[in-house]
Structures are given as C-alpha cells and as structure tokens.
Amino acid sequence: MILANNVKQRIAILGSTGSIGVSTLDVIARHPDRFEVFALSASTQIDLILQQCVQFKPLFAVMASEPHGHVLEQKCRDLGLTTRVLWGASAITEVASHEQVDTVMAAIVGAAGLASCLGAARAGKRLLLANKEALVVGGDYFMQAVVRGGAKLLPIDSEHSAVFQSLPDDAAVWSQQIDKIILTASGGPFRQRDPHTLRDVTPEQACAHPNWVMGRKISVDSATMMNKALEVIEARYLFGVNPDQIEVVIHPQSVIHSMVQYKDNSVVAQLGTPDMKVPIAYGLSWPDRMASGAAALDFRAMADMTFESLDSNGHELRFPGLKLAWSVLQAPAGSTAVLNAANEVAVAAFLDGHIRFDQIHGVNLETLETVTTAGPQSLEDLLALDALSRDVAHQVVRHIGV
C-alpha cells in the first residue's frame, strides 16, 4: 500500500509497550507529517500505554484483559482523553483489521500475536512483522492469508529486513537468482562461555545481551540461539527458499545484519548500527527511506568485523537448539508450531526459576518427540496444536524441573 505524499499513514501498533513498540513510536514521533497513530495495544503495562495515549492520542487503546482494560479506561477518563479503550484478543484483531488502518506493526511477543496478524493479512494491510512466532506457527497457512488478502508483508526483524533490502525488487526472480541466505548472529552473552558452565546461568545473565536492547523472552532466545532457529524458519516462509539454502554465521559485532549470496557467488549485505529503529523506519517508509533516529556507522572507529562457524569453538555444545530449525522444517507440517510453543513454555519456566538454562533445549526436544501433528488446516487447528504442545511442555518442565 503506497499512500499519496500528503496523506498520513494510520498506524496500529500491537504491543506498543514492548521494545519494538516503543521504538516504533519514537520513529513515528520524528515524522508527525507522515504518520498518525490509530490504535495501540498492550498486555499489562497500563501506565506506559497511558503515557502513549496522552502523547499520540490514538482513537483506540486495547488491553489484553478486561481488568486491565477497565483500569486504563478509568485513567483515560480521568485525564479527559477521547481514546476508546477495548480489551481482549478479539478487540486486538478488530483494530488490526479496521478499515481505517493502513499499516499494522505486529510486535506482540509469541504465538499470542497470530490471530491479529492473520486479521491484518486478510484485511490487506501493510503488515510490519516483528512477531516472528506468528509466521513460525502459521507457516504456509499464514502466507496464504497474506496472498489472498492482498497484504504487503514487510519483515522487521533486523536479519530479515536486511535480507529483504538485499534482494531484487521483483520477488518473482528470487528463486532464479539466489544461491543462499546467510543470517548473522551475534552469539549472545555466552558466545565464549565454557559450555559445561551453562547450567549455572541466571536469568539476569541470559538477558544481558552485548549488543541489542530487547525484551526478556527474546533476550533468552538470543542466549540459547533459539531466536536464530525461529529466524531460519521465518526466512524459509518469507523468501520461499529451501531450508538447505539458509545458513547461519556468528558475527559478534552485529554490523552486518544478514546477507544474500547469489548464483554468481556475489554477496549483497545490509549494514547498520544494532538499533531496531533502522528496520522499523524502513518498514514504515518502504519503498522510500526516511530518518530513523539511529546513529550512523562510523567506519573509522569500527572494530574489525569477524565471523565464526557454528561448527567451531564449541558452539555446537553452546547452542544445540539451533539445528532444530532444519529438523522441524523437514518434519510434518505443524512441527514448527510445536517447537515454538515448547520454547515459549521452557523460556518462561527458566525465567521463573523452575528449570535451569541448559534444560531449555531438553524441554523443546522432548515436546517435539511427544507431540505428533497431521498438519493444521485452520486457525483453530493451529491454536489447538499450540495448546496441546504447551500442555506437554508444562508436563516436561514439571518432570525435569530443578
């Protein structure tokens, strides 16, 4: 969807109080002539979304639960705000597919964002996908909804945005020209840690990413490299490549965000500072570009850029979960949803002190071995598979828990 230069894009930001949502509002605030905030949504952070309502004056604000919705509604009323407060999953989907919305920033963490992403896709929105789990869970079903709805899907994950920026404009020629996609990974906080000491990792250590500022769940995924496994799955569906055409290399400096190697062996890469405002600004302004507020790269002050194979330096012991990406992509349809559900349960259990850091992979593996799938054919099938996988993962956690 390309709007006339004098027409503001009306934006719905799903997950406005998370790190992506906050960065999105920061970018939007720099361009008041181009964007209008139509709706915001949050899970529990009432005070922060209230501040956002005061600043951006959205028509709608949606809370995940009714109790939180009532509290926000009263606070908005006390301040004389005209923002209409809604609550519940169906309300989030309602604003995502609203006829007055042009663009949806999908930044709800986890499978909880699937239904609203599908709603935006079916309504033909410009869908800025920061919720990789929606695509990991939805797979081909989600991509079919994008095509049928006429939506424009733009990746916001820094790696997938980098790939998108490195590809030809014509998606029809991608398969003819691409040799492979190379996703870069920082290696997280434990890239050089003795793998045998990972059992002692605390949540605070796992969330202390050396380069990026992210939420706790995503930070833990980065520490285990499960985030990269999910990104491999996402890349397979986004760009229509075979799993064996996707490679991951460790690049600790997080300057090159990902690369595309073409059949003539030339490589095109996207570089930038490790700041999510860059891919957010690109998604909002595509096919143009605009100021993001991120710092520019200073090549004169930049340290050497280095790369490491995942098959060296003990990385196969530090990050055993990464290879599950290729395994589930070769397994029956729906296996990616099982892996995602198991990982969400396992990460939450680790953050709550119920399992050790090094047991996250075991929960994922045992859940995959236990749950069978015949291939979901509907949203209801996907949600049922997600619920079953979570039940099994919870059982595994109770069995192996510390």
Side-chain angles (χ1 to χ4, degrees):
M1 179 181 297
I2 303 175
L3 302 178
N5 291 334
N6 60 345
V7 177
K8 293 184 179 181
Q9 278 191 53
R10 288 159 295 190
I11 314 292
I13 303 174
L14 313 182
S16 67
T17 57
S19 60
I20 296 295
V22 169
S23 293
T24 301
L25 288 170
D26 181 87
V27 173
I28 287 173
R30 297 172 186 274
H31 302 276
D33 57 323
R34 298 187 61 164
F35 304 103
E36 174 184 338
V37 177
F38 180 83
L40 301 171
S41 86
S43 178
T44 60
Q45 296 192 59
I46 295 174
D47 289 340
L48 180 51
I49 195 173
L50 180 64
Q51 294 173 19
Q52 294 171 345
C53 289
V54 170
Q55 180 178 357
F56 293 96
K57 299 176 176 58
L59 188 62
F60 293 100
V62 188
M63 298 301 296
S65 71
E66 183 174 352
H68 287 99
H70 284 306
V71 174
L72 179 62
E73 186 176 48
Q74 184 60 53
K75 288 179 176 288
C76 286
R77 187 180 298 119
D78 292 343
L79 292 176
L81 299 179
T82 59
T83 297
R84 182 183 173 191
V85 178
L86 308 173
W87 49 82
S90 61
I92 298 174
T93 300
E94 179 183 339
V95 297
S97 57
H98 198 285
E99 62 180 6
Q100 294 184 44
V101 168
D102 302 307
T103 300
V104 175
M105 169 59 77
I108 296 174
V109 177
L114 174 59
S116 53
C117 284
L118 280 168
R122 289 166 175 161
K125 305 303 181 184
R126 178 196 289 236
L127 179 55
L128 310 185
L129 190 66
N131 172 271
K132 66 173 68 69
E133 293 89 348
L135 186 51
V136 170
V137 175
D140 285 326
Y141 180 79
F142 179 82
M143 292 304 296
Q144 289 166 9
V146 170
V147 173
R148 291 171 182 166
K152 179 60 184 178
L153 184 62
L154 297 170
I156 299 301
D157 272 347
S158 61
E159 296 81 0
H160 300 89
S161 177
V163 171
F164 184 73
Q165 294 179 59
S166 302
L167 287 169
D169 292 336
D170 185 0
V173 304
W174 289 356
S175 62
Q176 303 168 27
Q177 298 186 9
I178 294 175
D179 180 44
K180 62 182 176 180
I181 287 171
I182 305 169
L183 302 177
T184 58
S186 70
F190 306 134
R191 179 176 63 86
Q192 297 179 308
R193 182 162 175 151
D194 182 345
H196 299 98
T197 68
L198 291 176
R199 62 177 290 125
D200 302 320
V201 164
T202 67
E204 290 69 27
Q205 291 171 329
C207 291
H209 196 282
N211 300 336
W212 295 94
V213 177
M214 305 179 292
R216 286 169 65 81
K217 192 270 181 184
I218 300 174
S219 295
V220 174
D221 281 348
S222 181
T224 63
M225 290 264 290
M226 183 53 63
N227 72 318
K228 209 55 54 176
L230 299 178
E231 287 168 12
V232 168
I233 297 167
E234 185 180 7
R236 181 262 176 272
Y237 290 114
L238 274 173
F239 305 116
V241 295
N242 295 321
D244 60 5
Q245 290 181 280
I246 305 171
E247 181 181 330
V248 175
V249 297
I250 291 181
H251 169 50
Q253 294 80 21
S254 297
V255 172
I256 296 177
H257 297 303
S258 278
M259 299 168 271
V260 176
Q261 180 171 308
Y262 287 86
K263 291 187 176 179
D264 61 358
N265 284 334
S266 63
V267 177
V268 178
Q270 185 265 339
L271 285 69
T273 53
D275 190 327
M276 286 305 298
K277 289 194 289 290
V278 174
I280 289 169
Y282 182 70
L284 286 168
S285 62
W286 180 89
D288 302 321
R289 292 183 184 268
M290 66 184 188
S292 67
L297 282 176
D298 183 352
F299 288 95
R300 296 165 299 181
M302 190 182 300
D304 293 339
M305 291 192 290
T306 59
F307 304 89
E308 301 169 11
S309 167
L310 285 163
D311 297 324
S312 65
N313 302 321
H315 292 324
E316 69 278 5
L317 298 177
R318 291 185 186 91
F319 312 119
L322 178 58
K323 291 185 177 180
L324 291 177
W326 289 272
S327 297
V328 295
L329 284 172
Q330 295 166 352
S335 298
T336 57
V338 177
L339 175 59
N340 180 76
N343 186 62
E344 288 190 20
V345 170
V347 171
F350 164 67
L351 289 172
D352 290 339
H354 300 314
I355 62 172
R356 301 191 310 267
F357 179 82
D358 64 330
Q359 292 177 315
I360 293 174
H361 176 60
V363 174
N364 294 341
L365 194 60
E366 188 167 343
T367 303
L368 281 168
E369 292 172 348
T370 303
V371 178
T372 58
T373 170
Q377 302 296 317
S378 66
L379 175 59
E380 292 71 25
D381 288 348
L382 286 167
L383 295 178
L385 179 60
D386 178 76
L388 172 62
S389 303
R390 289 172 190 276
D391 287 343
V392 171
H394 281 297
Q395 293 173 22
V396 176
V397 166
R398 287 193 291 269
H399 176 68
I400 71 170
V402 296

